[in-house]
Structures are given as C-alpha cells and as structure tokens.
Amino acid sequence: MNLHTDYEALFSGPLPVSAPLAFAGFGITAAELGYDDYAGLDARGKIVAVFQHEPEEELETSRFAGRSPSSWSTVTYKAANARNHGAAGLLLLPDPHCERERTWKTDTQVEAFGLPVVKLSEEWSRRLLRSGPRTLSEIARAARDVLLEPFDIPNVNVSLSVEAIERYRTLRNVVGLVPGTTDDYVVVGAHYDHLGLGERKALAPENIGAIHNGADDNASGTAGLLFLASRAVRRKNGSGLVFIAFAGEELGLLGSSAYVSRPKIPLEKIRAMLNMDMIGRSDGSVYIGGVGTAAEFHDLLDGLKKETTLELKYAETPQAPSDHLSFAGEKIPVLFFFSGLHADYHQPSDDREKIDQVRARQILQVVESVIRRLVRKDQPVHFVETDTNTALLGAAAGSSVLGLQPEPSWEADGVLVADVKAATPAFEAGFRRGDILIGCDGKAVANRLDLIQQLTEQGRAPDTAHQILVVRGEELLALPLSTTE
Ligand SMILES: [Zn+2]
Ligand SMILES: [Zn+2]
C-alpha cells in the first residue's frame, strides 16, 4: 500500500499490532444522545474500522449539532473512544454521505496517541470488507439510513504499525535593534519563512515538491524590513526600534509566539508592533489591519492620507493570521500591512516577476511615516480591546487563552493544552496540561483558530460559559470555559 494514495497515518501507537477486524459504525459512544456504535461489540484487542464524520450529518435536525460537525466527528474523539473500548488500532473508512470525490489532506503529521490510527482510501476500504459479512456499499447505505450495527469480521486479520519519529529543528528569529533616547520600543516585523517544497502547506497536492519561492509571501515584507532597518540606523531620537524577521510563521506563528513568551525587552516597553506580510501585490491600495487596537491609530493614519497616493483600507480588528496576532494577544497595539490576496497565494507561481516594486515602495513609505510618528514622545499610544477579543486572538499564536496555552505543533483534530497558568479562569475550571479540547458547545473544534473563532462568536450572551469537551486519558469531560473574567 502507498502512503498518501492508499492510506494516511494519523496517530501512532507504541507497538506494531496484528489483530482480527471489527466494524463499529462511526465509532461514536454518545450516551447523552442515546447513541452507541459499540453497543454489543467486544472491541478489546481488535482493530476497529469506523466511518469518518458522523450519522445524520446532512440533516438540519441531526442530534449531532445539526449540519455543522459535532465533537463526535473528530478523529481525536474516535481514537480516544476506540482506545477506551480496548481496541488495538483504528481504521477510518470514507464518509458514507459524501458522494463527491474525496480529497486527501496530506499536510498532517502523525501524533503519538497510544494506538495506531490509519485512514484508508475508498478502494482499500472496499477490499478490507470484501470477505466480511457486509460490504462497504451495504454498510454505507445502512449508515445513510441510520441503521448501523457493529459486527465482527473474524476471518480478516489486520497488521498495523505506525511509528512517529519526533524531530526537533531549531528556528531562529533575526533581530536588529536601533536604540533610541527613551527606554521603550516600536517593533517592526515580517516573517521570512515560506513553504519550501510545499510538503505541509501547499494549496494543491500536485504542487508538492515544487519550490514555493513566496516572492510576495513574504520576501516582500522581509525586503521591506531590511530597507526600513537600513534607513533607521541614521535616526536616534525617541523610542528605539526593534526589527524582527520571524521564523516559522507558516507553521503557526512559531517565531513570534516564541518571541512574546520569552521577550528580550519587557512587553510593557513595546509601544506598538507593525507587521508586514505580503506587501508586493498592491492594486493601488493597502489593507491596514488592527486600526482599532490603539485609540490613536485612526487619527494617525488619517494624517498620512495626504502623503500617499495609495488608498488606505482600514480594518478595526487584527484578525488575520500573521505574527502581529502574537503581540495583540499580549495587549500591544498592532498594525498589519498587507496588499491583498491573489491567485498565486501559497502557490509555486508566487514569483518575483509579479511583484509591483513601485507600490511596495509606497507601502513602505506609509509604514515609515507611521514609525516616525510612533517613536515620538508626544505621540500617545493606548491599547484598545477590539470587538473580537484580542486577548483570545493571541491564542491562535500559541500564547495563552484565558490561561490555556495551546501546543502549536499539534496537528490532529482539536487543541492540545501544553500548559495551564495557575489562578486563571481555565485553571479554576479544571483544565490541565495534556488535555485535548475537541468540542465547543457541541460543535467540533478543528484547531486553535477554530476554537478562538467559536469562543469569540458574536451574538451570544456574554456571561454564559462555553461547554468544552475534553479528552483526558481515558476520560471524556465537559468543562465550562467563560470568556468573561
Ligand atoms: Zn505570510
Ligand atoms: Zn503564507
């Protein structure tokens, strides 16, 4: 069998296993919904095959959170439930509801979980069940009719071995410092990493293996950073300047979250952070995010309009996934400069020929004017929480959310908690290091950003606590998490 076409390894177990096969519906045990795919099955020591996704998923009236995916549909939940039923391994069969061609997500890494979990192609799922009591199309039909029952396939023995090798790489931010005449600083940043050969984040699988140069994302911002730094050396009045080329942005804001978690300069001495991510493809305008994060930003930027021919497009919140979020999460005012998305985004075709250098230079003039004003002692800068809670947004970067510190390298479903700060709402609510958060108010939590989006969703009563579904070892817990302290 071939990796990526016939199967995908998702979780690893400590040892290779060889065991008889059993089928257990969607692999869900939801007592509170009166639903149990394992009812009547002894899964101990067996390799269990289950469908991906969940029953009734195309019904608005589904008891599993309507049409949106519920916590029970996550692979992390299914793996935990299989483990709790004593299964030796888990095989995932294609979702029986989905008629469209099923695409593979190939950018995932294998996480250690205590049992091997492997996703099978439709072809191999069919073969696996061929000599059992019921075929793949029979059980897929039963699944659509919500008439699934578990069964043993004793004549099929499956051998599974998934080994996870942990590899650590050292990434380095590159930092340049221009001291000023006061003890505070303005940080100017741009990430210098991109996708390499696209193994992890290529937008289309056929592009894996092709060099992704990332001329706009983010050679443009990095070149801009060097340009601004070279000119800044000649000035010395007012606040100092810290120029940071961040590493690991594409992997989840790793460089900037590492910087704010162990800052060389006390965070309260950082007046503001300006981030440039993709400034090379302007159509005559520049998008500036985070304008609402300081009381003074609107006036300051309005004052620049007469100096530039670019149209300045404001967004109040810093809600775009780049390095400024790590700083916004620490209650530092941020501005995010961005010339807009395009068809070459995260493609090998994001190349130098397409960069508009003249307009990139105009964007840099705007950034430089902002810097020149922000370093002045008589320019106040006061942080403002924007309507989408900026402290929560920082969690997308791996900084803490209500005391929860997500593990940025976790790539399976859900959010792995790397740490919980003492005496925080999350700690009081009972969250602990090692917990995996897989659901929020019944809905599936895909990843860190998804959790933040669900926690900051508008239009719900502010004081109600969210119910977070947590996998902790053998337990499945519902813990309250309140976003108001
Ligand atoms: Zn970028
Ligand atoms: Zn990118």
Side-chain angles (χ1 to χ4, degrees):
M1 288 173 79
N2 295 314
L3 184 66
H4 299 322
T5 52
D6 299 332
Y7 73 98
E8 202 67 66
L10 303 176
F11 289 109
S12 70
L15 296 167
V17 290
S18 183
L21 185 65
F23 171 76
F26 286 87
I28 295 171
T29 302
E32 55 273 57
L33 303 178
Y35 186 94
D36 186 5
D37 281 317
Y38 283 87
L41 180 76
D42 181 1
R44 277 174 297 174
K46 293 173 190 162
I47 290 180
V48 177
V50 305
F51 282 125
Q52 293 178 58
H53 296 205
E54 62 192 359
E56 306 170 13
E57 75 175 8
E58 297 188 322
L59 293 180
E60 205 61 69
T61 53
S62 161
R63 56 195 140 160
F64 297 89
R67 288 176 71 104
S68 38
S70 80
S71 335
W72 315 106
S73 70
T74 63
V75 175
T76 302
Y77 163 74
K78 292 181 188 208
N81 197 34
R83 199 176 58 183
N84 293 350
H85 280 88
L90 184 68
L91 296 174
L92 294 166
L93 310 174
D95 164 33
H97 303 98
C98 183
E99 301 295 332
R100 286 159 291 148
E101 201 197 334
R102 296 171 183 97
T103 52
W104 291 83
K105 196 175 156 219
T106 53
D107 67 350
T108 50
Q109 63 191 19
V110 173
E111 306 286 355
F113 202 70
L115 87 169
V117 177
V118 166
K119 186 163 72 174
L120 290 179
S121 68
E122 186 160 358
E123 162 69 12
W124 279 90
S125 302
R126 206 175 293 287
R127 286 205 212 178
L128 183 76
L129 295 166
R130 205 164 40 193
S131 51
R134 302 178 73 190
T135 65
L136 182 66
S137 30
E138 282 168 0
I139 56 173
R141 197 174 319 120
R144 290 192 291 272
D145 297 340
V146 202
L147 290 170
L148 274 181
E149 287 194 347
F151 54 85
D152 279 297
I153 313 168
N155 54 329
V156 176
N157 203 78
V158 177
S159 299
L160 266 187
S161 167
V162 179
E163 195 186 350
I165 300 165
E166 291 200 16
R167 276 188 303 191
Y168 292 90
R169 304 274 169 84
T170 304
L171 303 176
R172 290 185 194 282
N173 294 330
V174 181
V175 184
L177 191 137
V178 182
T181 49
T182 58
D183 68 345
D184 54 7
Y185 292 88
V186 172
V187 172
V188 185
H191 75 85
Y192 71 86
D193 63 304
H194 192 48
L195 308 180
L197 297 176
E199 299 94 329
R200 300 280 297 277
K201 303 278 171 180
L203 274 189
E206 65 269 23
N207 287 337
I208 294 173
I211 289 185
H212 291 60
N213 284 321
D216 186 32
D217 184 13
N218 187 28
S220 66
T222 310
L225 186 81
L226 294 173
F227 172 78
L228 293 173
S230 68
R231 291 161 60 95
V233 174
R234 280 175 251 130
R235 60 157 289 281
K236 38 188 163 318
N237 268 332
S239 308
L241 292 171
V242 185
F243 292 94
I244 311 179
F246 290 110
E249 190 272 348
E250 302 281 10
L251 293 172
L253 316 188
L254 300 184
S256 54
S257 55
Y259 186 84
V260 297
S261 63
R262 266 158 285 142
K264 296 271 187 257
I265 293 164
L267 294 176
E268 59 274 16
K269 293 292 180 196
I270 299 178
R271 305 193 81 201
M273 190 273 183
L274 312 180
N275 184 30
M276 297 173 287
D277 190 353
M278 302 171 65
I279 57 165
R281 300 285 290 266
S282 171
D283 61 355
S285 65
V286 59
Y287 169 96
I288 307 178
V291 176
T293 61
E296 297 80 6
F297 279 162
H298 265 278
D299 286 348
L300 192 156
L301 290 166
D302 285 347
L304 301 180
K305 283 183 175 167
K306 56 184 182 304
E307 294 177 14
T308 181
T309 54
L310 291 173
E311 184 195 347
L312 309 185
K313 291 183 178 166
Y314 299 164
E316 295 301 304
T317 74
Q319 200 158 14
S322 184
D323 294 311
H324 57 283
L325 276 189
S326 302
F327 290 80
E330 302 294 337
K331 300 189 188 296
I332 294 167
V334 296
L335 288 174
F336 165 52
F337 296 85
F338 170 59
S339 57
L341 272 185
H342 44 76
D344 303 304
Y345 171 72
H346 281 202
Q347 305 274 357
S349 54
D350 178 5
D351 257 328
R352 192 183 56 169
E353 304 78 65
K354 293 171 180 152
I355 297 295
D356 186 331
Q357 296 189 33
V358 174
R359 283 177 173 150
R361 180 71 184 257
Q362 291 171 344
I363 293 174
L364 290 171
Q365 278 162 356
V366 173
V367 180
E368 193 170 44
S369 298
V370 174
I371 295 171
R372 227 182 273 127
R373 282 166 175 75
L374 286 178
V375 297
R376 287 170 53 162
K377 237 185 297 181
D378 59 359
Q379 171 66 59
V381 193
H382 292 99
F383 179 75
V384 178
E385 293 274 2
T386 45
D387 49 349
T388 48
N389 191 329
T390 23
L392 290 174
L393 285 170
S399 64
S400 74
V401 44
L402 307 165
L404 287 174
Q405 182 107 35
E407 168 53 54
S409 72
W410 176 260
E411 287 206 348
D413 284 334
V415 176
L416 174 64
V417 177
D419 205 0
V420 186
K421 291 184 186 158
T424 58
F427 188 85
E428 302 302 331
F431 290 89
R432 294 296 175 262
R433 177 199 172 104
D435 285 350
I436 306 171
L437 320 185
I438 58 164
C440 177
D441 301 325
K443 291 189 187 160
V445 168
N447 52 37
R448 290 172 285 152
L449 207 55
D450 187 34
L451 175 65
I452 304 315
Q453 271 158 2
Q454 294 195 37
L455 290 176
T456 53
E457 214 171 294
Q458 302 295 307
R460 64 193 308 284
D463 288 331
T464 50
H466 294 269
Q467 285 297 117
I468 307 293
L469 197 64
V470 175
V471 174
R472 178 183 297 166
E474 306 234 313
E475 285 177 289
L476 197 64
L477 309 167
L479 297 177
L481 185 61
S482 174
T483 52
T484 47
E485 286 163 47

